[in-house]
Amino acid sequence: MSNRNILYRVNTSQKIVALTFDDGPDPRFTPDILDILQQYHCKATFFVVGQNLELHQNLVKRALAEGHEVGNHTMSHTNLHAIPQQAVFAEINNCSQSIAALTGVAPKFFRPPVGITNPSIEKTASNLGMVEVHWTVAIENQSAPTPEAMARRVLERVRPGSIILLHDGRLDRSKTVQALPLLLQGLDEKGYQAVTLTQLLKTQTEEVLYEVK
């Protein structure tokens, strides 16, 4: 526990988890992911890259229309730890402005690229009205080379309030697309519901869990 504002799980008595997708929107993978989420009646939070949002606004509009939500993943997916503070602010703020211009609402959640952060980055996101969100378990991992192994790895680690990290852009996410139905089916069999971060936070029974990365 720490006073640093980095969310990685939520205390809840309900069997629900938050699905989060980074790096999109990407026309190679986001449409298929949205199709799968719709098929399984699941909701998710998409941490979008501002440049991708501006290129593929229709995908973000579709996600919102289908009940998903959008978070801030910076404007260009740069390593925030390696650039000046003024550039950090611009990366985060410009992405928020792009999201707000499209959706009419400023994002509530921020995730730094590849999870690299520091107190200055955290403070910038907080000053812009966002909670910094990391994750409990990621579906992509070197120890899980197949879609089946990817889904199984998450299902073995999931617990109430987990935040699950997936990706829908940048690299080849074909295996993630293939693993997603297996994950959602497994979650259903375990009695879990997949929801947005906002929905997950509404069920918290105690203080939110934070940690220092």
Side-chain angles (χ1 to χ4, degrees), residues 10 12 14 16 108 197-205:
V10 171
T12 178
Q14 300 182 31
I16 60 174
K108 297 182 290 186
L197 282 166
T198 294
Q199 291 169 321
L200 179 62
L201 282 166
K202 287 180 180 178
T203 72
Q204 69 186 57
T205 54

Side-chain angles (χ1 to χ4, degrees), residues 22-23 49 73-74 77-81 110-117 132-135 165 167 170-171 173 213:
D22 287 10
D23 297 356
V49 176
H73 200 44
T74 72
H77 200 274
T78 191
N79 178 359
L80 298 180
H81 195 65
F110 164 73
R111 177 174 284 159
V114 300
I116 296 176
T117 191
E132 184 170 320
V133 180
H134 288 236
W135 56 90
L165 169 64
H167 292 80
R170 291 181 65 84
L171 305 179
R173 305 301 182 183
K213 287 287 181 181

Side-chain angles (χ1 to χ4, degrees), residues 34-204:
L34 289 171
D35 288 345
I36 295 166
L37 292 173
Q38 190 171 48
Q39 177 185 349
Y40 284 86
H41 308 289
C42 295
K43 305 303 179 187
T45 301
F46 288 85
F47 284 95
V48 300
V49 176
Q51 291 176 347
N52 295 344
L53 176 148
E54 293 184 349
L55 289 173
H56 309 293
Q57 293 187 5
N58 59 315
L59 292 177
V60 178
K61 290 178 179 178
R62 178 187 167 186
L64 293 169
E66 294 177 1
H68 307 292
E69 69 182 354
V70 175
N72 181 321
H73 200 44
T74 72
M75 197 65 191
S76 68
H77 200 274
T78 191
N79 178 359
L80 298 180
H81 195 65
I83 61 177
Q85 175 58 29
Q86 185 176 1
V88 170
F89 176 85
E91 278 283 336
I92 301 174
N93 184 57
N94 290 350
C95 183
S96 283
Q97 290 186 348
S98 291
I99 292 171
L102 179 66
T103 68
V105 181
K108 297 182 290 186
F109 304 111
F110 164 73
R111 177 174 284 159
V114 300
I116 296 176
T117 191
N118 60 40
S120 179
I121 294 168
E122 297 160 31
K123 183 177 180 181
T124 299
S126 179
N127 288 343
L128 288 169
M130 292 177 290
V131 174
E132 184 170 320
V133 180
H134 288 236
W135 56 90
T136 315
V137 59
I139 199 168
E140 296 106 346
N141 189 278
Q142 290 183 346
S143 67
T146 66
E148 293 78 12
M150 293 164 70
R152 184 169 58 249
R153 180 177 181 275
V154 174
L155 292 169
E156 289 172 349
R157 290 164 172 78
V158 74
R159 52 180 170 159
S162 289
I163 298 171
I164 302 172
L165 169 64
L166 309 94
H167 292 80
D168 67 326
R170 291 181 65 84
L171 305 179
D172 183 355
R173 305 301 182 183
S174 302
K175 288 183 179 180
T176 296
V177 174
Q178 296 170 44
L180 183 57
L182 304 175
L183 172 63
L184 298 181
Q185 182 177 347
L187 288 172
D188 183 64
E189 290 171 354
K190 285 177 168 283
Y192 280 91
Q193 181 184 7
V195 300
T196 65
L197 282 166
T198 294
Q199 291 169 321
L200 179 62
L201 282 166
K202 287 180 180 178
T203 72
Q204 69 186 57

